[in-house]
């Protein structure tokens, strides 16, 4: 009698798939439930790391290093003879890949000239249309700021300190805001054009 009752309860439990993740049951009721984070994979016999015949991506030495530092032995032997560096043979070479601590600032000065003909007519050169102010930031720096804000979601109040760390440019929040607003003005017509094209497309939201 007792055995039959226990068997009946076990059958009911096996048919009841409710647990703490799909009902109000507490975790203590998950007696017959396999936890979601429990791996069902069999234990592998492979060693950790790259497997045999696996194509790795080890850093390789460059044939064109940016700079070369040479280390020669002393110019004088203990016996008193002079050692000529030109006679030294290369023992080994090692390479270190790194980035400069601060990107070098470059400042390009644009000079506009004028010239007056002997007839009295004055001729002026043409300044590029994107050079409008006596002092301004270039397109590469502006693109970096827009990328940090739009693509990488860096908060506006942190962009200035980050730009200073990697470029040594000290740029204020107001200037950063102006750069972002200008980028928005330039990109808005393109964005609206793309949105209109998509809305007229016969296939939308399809992978």
């Amino acid at each position: 009698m007792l055995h039959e009752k226990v068997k009946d309860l076990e059958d009911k439990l096996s048919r009841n798939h409710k647990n703490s993740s799909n009902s109000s049951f507490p975790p203590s009721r998950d007696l017959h439930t396999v936890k979601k984070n429990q791996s069902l994979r069999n234990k592998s016999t492979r060693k950790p790391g790259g497997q045999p015949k696996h194509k790795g991506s080890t850093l390789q030495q460059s044939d064109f290093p940016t700079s070369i530092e040479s280390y020669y032995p002393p110019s004088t032997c203990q016996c008193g003879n002079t050692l000529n560096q030109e006679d030294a043979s290369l023992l080994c070479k090692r390479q270190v890949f790194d980035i400069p601590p601060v990107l070098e600032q470059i400042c390009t000065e644009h000079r506009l000239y004028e010239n007056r003909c002997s007839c009295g007519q004055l001729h002026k050169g043409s300044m590029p249309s994107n050079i409008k102010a006596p002092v301004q930031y270039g397109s590469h720096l502006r693109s970096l700021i827009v990328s940090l804000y739009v693509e990488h979601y860096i908060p506006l109040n942190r962009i200035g300190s980050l730009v200073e760390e990697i470029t040594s440019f000290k740029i204020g929040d107001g200037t950063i805001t102006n750069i972002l607003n200008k980028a928005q003005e330039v990109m808005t017509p393109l964005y609206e054009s793309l949105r209109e094209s998509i809305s007229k497309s016969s296939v939308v939201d399809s992978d």
Side-chain angles (χ1 to χ4, degrees):
M1 185 75 173
L2 179 61
H3 178 74
E4 293 178 357
K5 188 173 183 179
V6 170
K7 184 66 169 61
D8 182 57
L9 290 174
E10 288 180 346
D11 291 340
K12 290 181 179 179
L13 284 174
S14 64
R15 293 193 299 269
N16 186 2
H17 298 291
K18 289 185 178 181
N19 52 53
S20 60
S21 63
N22 58 17
S23 69
S24 59
F25 288 171
S28 59
R29 293 285 300 273
D30 299 343
L31 300 177
H32 300 278
T33 304
V34 179
K35 296 182 179 180
K36 288 186 177 181
N37 59 353
Q38 180 177 348
S39 176
L40 299 179
R41 297 175 58 185
N42 295 327
K43 187 175 181 180
S44 175
T45 58
R46 296 181 179 181
K47 295 181 179 180
Q51 302 302 315
K53 297 182 180 181
H54 171 72
K55 187 177 180 181
S57 56
T58 305
L59 185 64
Q60 301 293 331
Q61 289 194 345
S62 172
D63 295 330
F64 305 98
T66 307
S67 61
I68 298 177
E69 299 287 344
S70 299
Y71 307 95
Y72 291 95
S75 58
T76 304
C77 179
Q78 293 179 352
C79 69
N81 291 334
T82 300
L83 297 176
N84 192 346
Q85 290 185 351
E86 296 179 355
D87 297 332
S89 57
L90 179 63
L91 180 62
C92 70
K93 59 180 181 179
R94 301 171 183 174
Q95 295 184 346
V96 177
F97 289 79
D98 205 345
I99 59 174
V102 176
L103 297 179
E104 182 181 359
Q105 292 186 26
I106 57 173
C107 175
T108 303
E109 184 172 271
H110 298 262
R111 298 182 176 183
L112 182 64
Y113 289 91
E114 65 178 10
N115 198 359
R116 188 177 298 276
C117 179
S118 58
C119 70
Q121 187 173 358
L122 186 64
H123 299 270
K124 295 183 179 180
S126 298
M127 185 75 74
S129 59
N130 61 320
I131 310 298
K132 299 179 179 179
V135 179
Q136 66 183 64
Y137 291 108
S139 59
H140 295 295
L141 182 60
R142 297 199 306 270
S143 297
L144 173 63
I145 291 173
V146 174
S147 176
L148 291 175
Y149 185 76
V150 177
E151 296 185 66
H152 301 285
Y153 307 103
I154 305 297
L156 190 146
N157 59 354
R158 290 176 52 194
I159 292 178
S161 59
L162 179 58
V163 169
E164 184 177 355
E165 288 181 6
I166 62 179
T167 68
S168 75
F169 277 109
K170 293 184 178 180
I171 183 169
D173 292 346
T175 303
I176 294 174
T177 301
N178 291 336
I179 290 175
L180 295 175
N181 289 339
K182 182 60 178 178
Q184 183 179 10
E185 292 177 7
V186 174
M187 296 303 298
T188 296
L190 177 60
Y191 170 79
E192 295 295 339
S193 176
L194 291 174
R195 187 172 67 171
E196 183 179 357
S197 298
I198 293 175
S199 64
K200 295 179 180 179
S201 176
S202 58
V203 180
V204 180
D205 293 335
S206 176
D207 293 335

